[in-house]
Amino acid sequence: MTDAQNSAVGEQTPSKVPPKAVTAPQGKVSAKKPKPAKPESRLAMVRRARRINRELAETYPYAHPELDFRNPFELLVATVLSAQTTDLRVNQTTPALFAAYPTPEDMAAAVPEDLEELIRPTGFFRMKARSLMGLSQALRDDHGGEVPGRLEDLVKLPGVGRKTANVVLGNAFGVPGITVDTHFGRLVRRWKWTEQEDPEKVEAEICAIFPKSEWTMLSHRVVFHGRRICHARKPACGACPIAPLCPAYGEGETDPEKAKKLLKYEKGGQPGQRLSPPPDYPGLPAPPLGAGLAQESQESAES
């Protein structure tokens, strides 16, 4: 979308009015039929999407990456470990990992069996250990022990795809990007922003809807909403701040009191996923490894 098209997008979203059912007198058949709802235009969808983003910004002003990290290398490693597991489990695992291997040089020289044992709680630990050692060796040998700040360099590292690269660029280097994880993909399809399933095609279509400056924070807000309210199996529709804008409203629990019981993390009065959350996070820190397993199991079931 060009800058001119971006500026042409307005602030108001046309309200959706369901067609009125036609009730025929008893014993008679009405010749009239309810008119089908008109398909949403591209312009209307973009307006609605941008309004959803604004509403999410008000709901989650503290949205942030939910992986604990102190530098680009730690974020890169944590993101690789987050495949097929929860951020909570990664955060519970990385303190011991980074204590043992604080730099790419240290991790590149690790004994594979020792590294595997440290990351075992995250699952697929042998494959992940190979990726971590491979990317650490590449950082040591090809990048002077530093994580590169370019997409084309990051995706060449072992175990690093476009999603991981965008996480690192957006949160360690301030380079805008859309991160299409499981939560992001299902919500943008649920909201009819895209029908694509392929993550790269989803990324391209969502990037075309929003200004580049919004990409990184949009990713955080959507993921926050997916984890806290708009769950995969039973969304808490009755407690959702964007219910009037959601074409999928009603797929989940619409009763406000019942919906409140479905809320997670800080919205449900429960600990978050980070052991070391940002100062403005309104919830509780996550528990260390070995505690809070019921919460993690619930999140895993929703993913």
Side-chain angles (χ1 to χ4, degrees):
M1 182 177 290
T2 65
D3 289 339
Q5 288 173 317
N6 278 335
S7 62
V9 176
E11 296 294 316
Q12 297 182 351
T13 303
S15 59
K16 297 187 297 178
V17 181
K20 295 182 179 179
V22 178
T23 305
Q26 191 172 3
K28 295 183 181 181
V29 177
S30 171
K32 296 182 179 180
K33 294 182 180 180
K35 295 181 180 179
K38 291 183 179 179
E40 186 177 41
S41 69
R42 165 75 181 180
L43 181 60
M45 182 276 289
V46 172
R47 285 174 172 169
R48 180 171 59 83
R50 292 186 174 187
R51 186 173 173 190
I52 286 175
N53 182 41
R54 292 196 298 273
E55 293 290 338
L56 294 179
E58 292 184 8
T59 303
Y60 308 106
Y62 49 85
H64 59 273
E66 293 192 271
L67 290 168
D68 286 330
F69 69 98
R70 295 169 296 184
N71 54 58
F73 176 64
E74 290 190 357
L75 179 58
L76 177 60
V77 169
T79 307
V80 170
L81 290 176
S82 70
Q84 303 298 313
T85 190
T86 63
D87 287 356
L88 170 60
R89 177 58 84 187
V90 174
N91 292 335
Q92 292 171 326
T93 302
T94 50
L97 176 66
F98 294 139
Y101 310 110
T103 69
E105 291 82 359
D106 295 321
M107 195 167 288
V111 175
E113 293 76 13
D114 293 343
L115 178 58
E116 289 173 4
E117 191 59 32
L118 281 172
I119 65 173
R120 181 185 289 268
T122 68
F124 302 95
F125 56 91
R126 290 190 179 90
M127 177 185 67
K128 290 178 180 179
R130 287 194 296 271
S131 294
L132 294 183
M133 291 191 70
L135 70 84
S136 296
Q137 290 163 3
L139 293 178
R140 178 195 63 193
D141 298 340
D142 303 331
H143 299 282
E146 299 292 333
V147 176
R150 300 194 311 165
L151 179 69
E152 53 266 39
D153 293 328
L154 285 168
V155 296
K156 292 178 183 177
L157 299 173
V160 177
R162 191 176 182 91
K163 183 190 82 170
T164 296
N166 276 331
V167 170
V168 174
L169 289 173
N171 298 288
F173 293 99
V175 178
I178 294 286
T179 302
V180 183
D181 71 351
T182 301
H183 296 288
F184 190 94
R186 66 178 178 80
L187 261 64
V188 296
R189 286 187 289 272
R190 182 174 276 175
W191 295 334
K192 307 299 182 186
W193 293 1
T194 181
E195 295 181 355
Q196 299 292 341
E197 296 284 343
D198 178 79
E200 287 197 29
K201 293 180 179 179
V202 171
E203 179 186 345
E205 291 203 358
I206 304 306
C207 284
I209 296 173
F210 296 93
K212 192 173 183 179
S213 60
E214 287 291 308
W215 291 353
T216 299
M217 286 309 302
L218 171 72
S219 299
H220 293 322
R221 293 164 191 153
V222 173
V223 171
F224 259 58
H225 193 63
R227 285 174 170 165
R228 287 150 176 79
I229 296 177
C230 196
H231 310 138
R233 297 181 183 176
K234 196 171 184 181
C237 295
C240 180
I242 62 166
L245 301 168
C246 181
Y249 175 78
E251 288 185 7
E253 180 58 65
T254 58
D255 180 84
E257 293 304 315
K258 292 180 180 178
K260 285 181 182 179
K261 297 178 181 179
L262 300 174
L263 302 181
K264 294 181 181 178
Y265 303 112
E266 76 281 356
K267 294 298 181 184
Q270 302 156 358
Q273 295 206 95
R274 294 187 66 166
L275 278 66
S276 301
D280 62 343
Y281 179 63
L284 302 171
L289 192 63
L293 297 182
Q295 177 191 348
E296 182 179 2
S297 298
Q298 185 182 25
E299 170 67 14
S300 297
E302 286 288 349
S303 299

